[in-house]
Amino acid sequence: PFNTLLSFSELFDYSVTDSIFYMTFSNSLGGISSFVFSSQLGKKWNKLSLLRVVAWVVMLVTVFVFGFAIGRPSQTWGMPVLVFGSFLAGFFNSSFQSLSFSLAAETSPEAIQSCSAGTGFAGVSTNVACCLLNLILPPRDTRGKILPEVLERQVYGFSLFALIVYAFFFSAMDLYSPKRQVARSEASVDSTMRGAKKILIRSMDINLGIFMNYLTTANICGFWIYKSFRVFYRPGSLPLALYFFLFNFGDAVAKTMPVRVLPSTSSQAHALNFLKILANFYFFLIGSQAMREHIFGAFNRLLIVFLVGLSNGYLTNAYMVLNAKRFDSPAMKGDAGFFNVFFLLVGLTTGSFISLLL
């Protein structure tokens, strides 16, 4: 839902003015709120069964949000409904993501890489669908004015695409899902908390690295890319969906890289992350002086967003694989994967909030 919301940002901003930043922030906040829900249910129920249920809930909530938006609600009550719907979409989507990464972490580093690559391809396929819809059904006229009836048709076309993806997803689960789940002994609350504390202490630097990676990504994409696109939009400009396609393409390329090309130590991963943080400060200094078009021109934005996606996917895989290697038991690897996703969501939410303030 987060990537889909961004891809259809023109629809939401047309429906309720400037709603997209509030929606992406609430979507990320919903993801953080889901942490306790997914981690506790994942210990008591079969994770594969939960994945099926949560996937359908994500679909239904997202359909509601889009259906409400194309109804063109009033500014007064439209904003809180869209924001709350985005919160629910983020809540259940992050539950799905946490359960998926936990299952992968319990298996092997290659499973983590495959799961991460799946998230990358999900983003790419969403953006490809949006770019095709923009070509077939241009959402703006020759003067750059948004055509609401065309946006509505785009939503129907994307819904058909989503249903096809869901059909493949459930077919793949039936064919390739593992037949068993890691056994967990009944443990007291105290022992569970001690285990969680041990995992957090041992992997704190990794989790902080994931947090900073996603904070930087959300800040660059949310503010320096999206807002500069709005400032410099002219009739005939490249569609916004193309920018997010390049981000997700770079993200997917990095996430499909084999485990052997990832950093072998956390120090190497932290060094690369530090360079990305410096780049974010560079954009901040430029933007504080003035959002000049020769700096934030179309080509520069395309290149920047691709590199941000590439770094985001590469560091995500690196940190999660390195973190799983720090633990021996599959159960602890799975719990460590939950914490990775939690800090990912906190970073994404913080970056979205900073973009909202700016």
Side-chain angles (χ1 to χ4, degrees):
F2 186 88
N3 187 67
T4 305
L5 293 179
L6 287 175
S7 297
F8 282 92
S9 54
E10 289 177 311
L11 165 67
F12 295 113
D13 275 346
Y14 177 80
S15 177
V16 178
T17 305
D18 291 329
S19 60
I20 189 62
F21 282 103
Y22 294 95
M23 291 176 68
T24 52
F25 172 68
S26 65
N27 187 268
S28 302
L29 196 61
I32 295 175
S33 303
S34 74
F35 177 72
V36 174
F37 167 82
S38 55
S39 62
Q40 292 306 311
L41 285 184
K43 296 176 185 295
K44 299 177 181 179
W45 300 86
N46 184 278
K47 292 180 181 178
L48 290 173
S49 299
L50 280 175
L51 282 177
R52 295 174 184 274
V53 174
V54 172
W56 279 114
V57 175
V58 170
M59 166 68 86
L60 293 175
V61 173
T62 305
V63 167
F64 165 77
V65 171
F66 274 87
F68 184 79
I70 63 177
R72 299 168 203 150
S74 67
Q75 182 77 23
T76 304
W77 57 275
M79 178 73 82
V81 174
L82 286 176
V83 168
F84 181 67
S86 300
F87 176 89
L88 291 178
F91 182 94
F92 289 105
N93 178 66
S94 297
S95 298
F96 180 89
Q97 191 175 9
S98 298
L99 291 166
S100 300
F101 272 105
S102 178
L103 278 170
E106 291 174 357
T107 309
S108 67
E110 288 73 22
I112 296 174
Q113 184 268 334
S114 297
C115 185
S116 184
T119 64
F121 281 118
V124 170
S125 61
T126 298
N127 293 123
V128 168
C130 291
C131 287
L132 289 175
L133 287 170
N134 279 326
L135 289 174
I136 299 170
L137 301 168
R140 295 176 183 265
D141 61 18
T142 54
R143 294 171 297 176
K145 183 180 179 181
I146 289 180
L147 304 171
E149 65 279 2
V150 176
L151 288 175
E152 186 173 338
R153 292 188 202 122
Q154 284 192 354
V155 170
Y156 295 140
F158 186 81
S159 298
L160 177 61
F161 162 76
L163 287 173
I164 295 172
V165 171
Y166 262 60
F168 277 106
F169 166 73
F170 285 108
S171 299
M173 282 194 72
D174 291 335
L175 289 173
Y176 301 109
S177 60
K179 301 301 180 183
R180 63 182 181 85
Q181 183 175 327
V182 174
R184 293 177 180 270
S185 59
E186 293 294 328
S188 65
V189 174
D190 288 341
S191 63
T192 302
M193 293 301 294
R194 285 196 299 271
K197 183 178 179 181
K198 180 180 179 181
I199 292 171
L200 276 173
I201 292 174
R202 188 180 296 183
S203 59
M204 183 54 69
D205 66 311
I206 295 288
N207 288 324
L208 289 177
I210 292 174
F211 167 80
M212 290 305 302
N213 178 38
Y214 276 83
L215 183 153
T216 306
T217 295
N219 198 24
I220 293 176
C221 290
F223 185 70
W224 307 119
I225 303 302
Y226 178 69
K227 283 198 173 181
S228 64
F229 172 85
R230 294 178 63 185
V231 169
F232 301 121
Y233 179 82
R234 304 288 184 275
S237 295
L238 296 173
L240 184 62
L242 179 61
Y243 291 92
F244 290 114
F245 164 74
L246 281 176
F247 168 81
N248 284 293
F249 180 71
D251 186 60
V253 167
K255 286 178 176 177
T256 54
M257 293 180 181
V259 175
R260 65 176 180 274
V261 303
L262 298 176
S264 57
T265 65
S266 57
S267 298
Q268 295 173 353
H270 294 329
L272 292 173
N273 203 8
F274 181 71
L275 293 176
K276 183 177 178 180
I277 295 169
L278 289 180
N280 190 42
F281 278 108
Y282 172 71
F283 293 132
F284 178 78
L285 292 173
I286 291 175
S288 298
Q289 296 169 10
M291 289 182 91
R292 294 187 292 270
E293 189 163 5
H294 72 274
I295 295 175
F296 287 98
F299 176 78
N300 290 341
R301 289 198 301 272
L302 290 172
L303 178 61
I304 290 169
V305 82
F306 173 77
L307 293 176
V308 171
L310 196 69
S311 64
N312 186 75
Y314 187 77
L315 287 170
T316 298
N317 274 14
Y319 280 131
M320 289 190 170
V321 169
L322 287 169
N323 196 47
K325 291 180 178 179
R326 293 186 176 184
F327 303 96
D328 298 323
S329 72
M332 293 191 73
K333 289 176 184 286
D335 290 341
F338 268 118
F339 283 113
N340 287 163
V341 175
F342 174 73
F343 278 89
L344 181 158
L345 294 168
V346 173
L348 199 60
T349 304
T350 306
S352 299
F353 183 68
I354 292 172
S355 297
L356 184 65
L357 293 178
L358 294 175

